[in-house]
Amino acid sequence: MSETLTLDNLSVPLRALRLLAVDFGHLPAPDVDVSTYFPDRLRLRFHDDLSAFEAWRSALGVDPATVVYREQNDGQTRVLKTTADFAGAVLELTGYGDLPVAAMAEAGAA
């Protein structure tokens, strides 16, 4: 039988979230996820706005070379993802954005 986690077990990502709110409160608000499956991880997700992802990446000083690019939804959605250490937590940033119609037409998808 596995151990039941308590809220105390999530203190590292919750502390990181508190620090982010204080230090970067002026940045666009993300969707936030803390999970008992990954108790050391804080996920910040940005839907329909890759510029918000980039603002956070830049503010946190995350190297652009660590950003992974992929597409999903048959190439209609761009996804940017990176991880960084912040205040003892693994910070996972993910941005989603629609592929511009012109780019889809060039690829023969429109």
Side-chain angles (χ1 to χ4, degrees):
M1 186 171 190
S2 64
E3 173 188 346
T4 300
L5 294 180
T6 65
L7 195 56
D8 269 348
N9 296 118
L10 300 176
S11 64
V12 170
L14 292 174
R15 183 179 324 111
L17 179 60
R18 185 179 73 227
L19 292 171
L20 289 172
V22 170
D23 295 341
F24 301 103
H26 61 284
L27 292 176
D31 286 341
V32 177
D33 182 26
V34 176
S35 171
T36 56
Y37 289 108
F38 302 102
D40 64 337
R41 186 171 297 244
L42 175 62
R43 292 185 180 123
L44 305 181
R45 291 185 312 273
F46 306 91
H47 295 275
D48 300 323
D49 191 358
L50 294 178
S51 64
F53 170 92
E54 179 56 24
W56 276 91
R57 186 211 55 76
S58 179
L60 292 167
V62 176
D63 185 352
T66 66
V67 176
V68 175
Y69 172 84
R70 64 184 172 86
E71 294 176 0
Q72 65 185 34
N73 195 22
D74 290 328
Q76 295 181 28
T77 304
R78 296 180 290 176
V79 181
L80 299 177
K81 188 171 186 176
T82 192
T83 59
D85 293 326
F86 183 81
V90 176
L91 185 60
E92 182 180 297
L93 301 175
T94 306
Y96 302 94
D98 292 336
L99 195 59
V101 174
M104 290 176 60
E106 288 176 16

